[in-house]
Amino acid sequence: QRLQHDTAARLPLAYMRLRRAIRNVIENGEVQVGHALPSERDLARALTLSRVTVRKAIGGLVEDGLLTQRHGAGTFVSERIVKPLSRMTSFTEDLRARGLNPRSEFFERAIGEVNPEEAMAMNLSPGTQVVRLHRLRYAGDEPLAIERSAVPLSLLPDPGLVEDSLYEALDKLGNRPTRALQRLRAVVLGPAQLRLLRLPIGSAGLNIERRSFLDDGRIVEFTNSWYRGDIYDFVAELQSD
Ligand code: GLP
């Protein structure tokens, strides 16, 4: 209804009016970030417009960055997630602050011994036991990142304590990290990662490696995250010396 009303606005071409109408609906929050738009065919039918018109309007909004098209999945309302680099927040806190619904799908949540990479990164001796998490992290139904974490068993005695948020579990134990070292790298995502994140071949990702610590210097986590490059902006405020 809303769309129909707005398409009557005085713009010379039908696709321009539709483009404006869809934009209004998104800006007013009537269709939410991450949500799918009806298919081209359904829109055309509902609005008695040609599919060419609908395609042109949607194409324009994709160029504007307002909509994202994903092969085989449809068209979604996009919004880049802008994340300050200087604050040590958790995935869950970041998303909640944006009114989004953080969720995790666990591939692994178990106790194991540190592998050589983890031992080196965490400065732990071989054989040390850790809780290992491997998760696909969502905002609602939309996958945003893949995350692999290792946490010393001495600081997180049971993997089952992590229901969804690692930091929430650590908080309850009084072991929430207070300081972190982070490295950010551009990466080309591999085929398995692309599939999980539902991205087309060739998509860029951001790999973030975080090592975080307690006040007394003990390491709490070694986490590797692969964020979708099409959605995340990492920003930092800089000061001259
Ligand atoms: C971010 C960080 C990770 C951290 C995670 C905790 O994604 N990059 O290093 O482990 O937040 O998030 P949560 O508490 O939601 O599990």
Side-chain angles (χ1 to χ4, degrees):
Q1 228 179 353
R2 179 67 205 267
L3 279 175
Q4 254 153 358
H5 170 72
D6 281 349
T7 47
R10 289 223 175 133
L11 278 170
L13 294 167
Y15 87 86
M16 287 185 183
R17 291 199 295 270
L18 180 57
R19 183 168 164 174
R20 160 81 66 84
I22 296 177
R23 181 181 277 282
N24 283 346
V25 162
I26 295 170
E27 279 171 2
N28 296 337
E30 287 163 56
V31 193
Q32 283 171 4
V33 169
H35 282 204
L37 237 60
S39 72
E40 225 171 75
R41 191 198 297 142
D42 289 349
L43 269 177
R45 196 179 296 148
L47 303 170
T48 56
L49 291 168
S50 76
R51 280 187 73 169
V52 177
T53 299
V54 173
R55 192 171 308 144
K56 256 181 122 170
I58 290 179
L61 291 163
V62 169
E63 267 174 39
D64 294 344
L66 220 61
L67 295 177
T68 313
Q69 276 173 325
R70 284 203 293 289
H71 295 294
T75 307
F76 299 83
V77 179
S78 59
E79 190 191 281
R80 293 186 68 83
I81 296 182
V82 180
K83 203 175 132 43
L85 271 173
S86 50
R87 292 195 51 233
M88 195 176 46
T89 51
S90 74
F91 181 87
T92 303
E93 290 162 346
D94 280 343
L95 262 67
R96 285 203 185 127
R98 292 179 170 82
L100 298 170
N101 174 27
R103 276 195 322 116
S104 304
E105 181 184 339
F106 283 86
F107 304 124
E108 190 184 359
R109 176 170 27 180
I111 298 172
E113 284 187 3
V114 276
N115 63 35
E117 188 202 355
E118 290 160 352
M120 196 129 83
M122 301 171 87
N123 200 13
L124 295 173
S125 38
T128 307
Q129 291 202 303
V130 289
V131 168
R132 205 172 283 119
L133 308 173
H134 184 194
R135 300 179 278 177
L136 181 56
R137 317 223 53 187
Y138 293 85
D141 293 330
E142 197 178 10
L144 298 186
I146 300 164
E147 223 156 36
R148 277 182 186 278
S149 307
V151 179
L153 196 62
S154 53
L155 296 177
L156 179 65
D158 174 5
L161 294 172
V162 184
E163 281 168 37
D164 201 73
S165 164
L166 170 62
Y167 279 22
E168 237 167 64
L170 290 168
D171 222 352
K172 284 189 193 146
L173 294 161
N175 289 335
R176 187 183 164 116
T178 52
R179 190 176 73 87
L181 294 173
Q182 202 160 268
R183 183 197 301 258
L184 198 145
R185 274 189 286 232
V187 286
V188 174
L189 297 166
Q193 293 175 319
L194 290 172
R195 207 175 41 245
L196 289 175
L197 294 171
R198 299 187 208 141
L199 291 173
I201 292 170
S203 299
L206 283 161
N207 168 231
I208 294 197
E209 188 188 276
R210 182 184 289 185
R211 287 183 295 146
S212 64
F213 305 86
L214 295 177
D215 273 342
D216 65 10
R218 273 181 295 166
I219 186 146
V220 182
E221 69 169 326
F222 172 53
T223 293
N224 257 288
S225 314
W226 291 269
Y227 288 90
R228 277 172 49 186
D230 64 333
I231 216 169
Y232 270 95
D233 282 3
F234 290 90
V235 296
E237 186 181 319
L238 307 180
Q239 264 157 14
S240 67
D241 295 334

